[in-house]
Amino acid sequence: MQTNMSYASSTITMLSPVNVSDEIRKAGQEDIVFIHTPKTGGTNIACLMKAIGADSGSVFNHRCSVMRQEGVSPNLFKPGGMGGYPSPEALENLKAQHSPRFISGHMPTGLIEEGGLQGRYISLVREPVARAVSSLNFDYQRGYLAKEDVATYAGSTMIDNLQTRLIAGKDHMDGECTEDTYRAATQKINDEFLLVAPTEAVDAVTSVVARLYGEEKVATARFQVTGNKLYDEKSPPEHLKSILIGRNQFDTRLYKHVVKEWENFTNHHVTGGQAGNEESPYLTLPPDMLTTKAWKRLTAHEINEHNQKAGGSLLRFQQK
């Protein structure tokens, strides 16, 4: 079982800089909790905050890890599962840390209220069939899932409407996902979220988050790419697609809602920025960051040199 095998792009992308409104920039002085649904593209944001937290010391960064269970994927949510939601003891430790805090993890909302934090949530939402197929591919790649078990895994092992449930909160991780669950999720977005965006906008979200903490130029590899796939996320087999559509109808509605929310957010709060001096370095998240935990400051010239040598193939890593 390749439980710690990961892939990343060998090339590095220089993200387009952004400016954000004063209202949004102030969020960097408060606590932010990133609800990181598995396979929505959020690993890059988690890596960014690891670099910013350690490099500048301007924010306390903490990742709520999923407790490992033998033979169980850390990406898998079953009914009632809470993922990396911290224990009461761990929550007390978080409360003792200085603000601003950036806390992320595969977990439902609830941490701000329970921890008495002063801030808001952020999240990414992905088209649900593509997200579920990506999760199946990831679990297959790491040896948690056999091809002959896919239908059962998708139809009953994996919880339905995971994204709706995680945003709605802890009380919605078990039982039936209903109209009330969906209503709780959209109300949560309206009342308690700084931003929520579709996965397609992850580069822009990464730039926005960087801007909250004073980073104007960010470059990054793509992390947790699935290199050994069972199915194409965009065109899975019809029988599997039918199962996933049926089990994720509220997530489909949520995704459409989030696309509109993100458009509204960017129209009001985000404009294109200037890259500034060409020789000023980018905060760079290199392909091997998941194993080395190290970031770099590279100029555009240095990044282009790296990409010329990289060749464009995926790199395979054994995570610790």
Side-chain angles (χ1 to χ4, degrees):
M1 184 181 293
Q2 303 179 77
T3 54
N4 293 315
M5 190 59 62
S6 295
Y7 292 82
S9 66
S10 59
T11 55
I12 297 169
T13 300
M14 291 173 278
L15 305 186
S16 299
V18 299
N19 291 318
V20 296
S21 67
D22 289 342
E23 176 187 349
I24 299 305
R25 188 179 292 110
K26 289 178 182 177
Q29 302 168 23
E30 299 178 330
D31 300 317
I32 291 178
V33 177
F34 174 33
I35 304 303
H36 180 188
T37 304
K39 308 312 295 178
T40 58
T43 302
N44 283 55
I45 295 174
C47 288
L48 169 71
M49 292 309 303
K50 181 184 291 291
I52 290 176
D55 186 58
S56 69
S58 61
V59 57
F60 173 78
N61 176 65
H62 178 77
R63 179 72 176 177
C64 297
S65 300
V66 177
M67 184 177 295
R68 292 301 180 95
Q69 301 178 55
E70 183 65 30
V72 179
S73 170
N75 273 0
L76 176 64
F77 276 82
K78 296 181 180 180
M82 293 293 164
Y85 199 91
S87 66
E89 294 77 16
L91 185 54
E92 286 301 315
N93 289 334
L94 282 175
K95 290 166 63 176
Q97 303 300 324
H98 65 79
S99 186
R101 290 162 281 213
F102 188 97
I103 303 165
S104 63
H106 297 325
M107 59 188 180
T109 57
L111 199 60
I112 289 178
E113 302 92 308
E114 286 194 20
L117 308 183
Q118 300 298 313
R120 287 184 277 182
Y121 297 101
I122 66 172
S123 194
L124 295 165
V125 172
R126 186 174 180 179
E127 192 284 317
V129 172
R131 192 209 70 80
V133 173
S134 181
S135 188
L136 291 167
N137 283 335
F138 180 86
D139 290 354
Y140 171 76
Q141 171 182 289
R142 292 200 168 191
Y144 295 113
L145 172 64
K147 186 173 183 179
E148 59 268 22
D149 297 329
V150 166
T152 300
Y153 202 79
S156 58
T157 304
M158 299 166 65
I159 195 172
D160 64 289
N161 296 293
L162 176 61
Q163 299 177 102
T164 302
R165 291 176 182 271
L166 290 178
I167 289 177
K170 289 178 63 180
D171 294 340
H172 299 274
M173 296 306 296
D174 206 354
E176 185 180 358
C177 186
T178 66
E179 192 69 38
D180 286 343
T181 313
Y182 177 77
R183 191 178 302 111
T186 54
Q187 191 64 49
K188 202 87 155 181
I189 288 171
N190 185 63
D191 295 343
E192 300 179 32
F193 273 69
L194 174 67
L195 66 86
V196 60
T199 288
E200 296 87 341
V202 63
D203 284 353
V205 175
T206 304
S207 293
V208 167
V209 172
R211 200 71 178 86
L212 299 183
Y213 302 102
E215 293 290 344
E216 297 182 5
K217 299 173 69 174
V218 174
T220 179
R222 289 174 57 230
F223 301 114
Q224 294 295 12
V225 180
T226 305
N228 186 14
K229 296 184 178 183
L230 272 173
Y231 309 111
D232 184 340
E233 288 91 345
K234 295 181 180 179
S235 56
E238 283 301 319
H239 72 280
L240 177 59
K241 182 177 179 181
S242 178
I243 291 172
L244 295 174
I245 288 174
R247 286 180 56 77
N248 293 284
Q249 294 183 27
F250 288 108
D251 271 12
T252 299
R253 289 171 58 187
L254 183 72
Y255 172 75
K256 293 176 181 177
H257 178 79
V258 165
V259 169
K260 294 178 181 178
E261 285 290 310
W262 175 246
E263 181 180 10
N264 183 59
F265 178 87
T266 54
N267 285 341
H268 285 85
H269 298 295
V270 182
T271 56
Q274 298 295 322
N277 185 341
E278 186 176 339
E279 292 306 309
S280 63
Y282 287 76
L283 174 61
T284 303
L285 314 178
D288 61 354
M289 185 175 175
L290 288 181
T291 55
T292 66
K293 313 300 181 186
W295 59 95
K296 300 178 180 180
R297 295 275 180 181
L298 298 178
T299 65
H301 176 72
E302 290 171 324
I303 293 170
N304 287 328
E305 279 193 332
H306 167 91
N307 288 342
Q308 288 173 7
K309 298 174 182 177
S313 59
L314 293 178
L315 299 179
R316 180 175 173 175
F317 298 102
Q318 188 76 25
Q319 285 186 245
K320 297 178 180 178

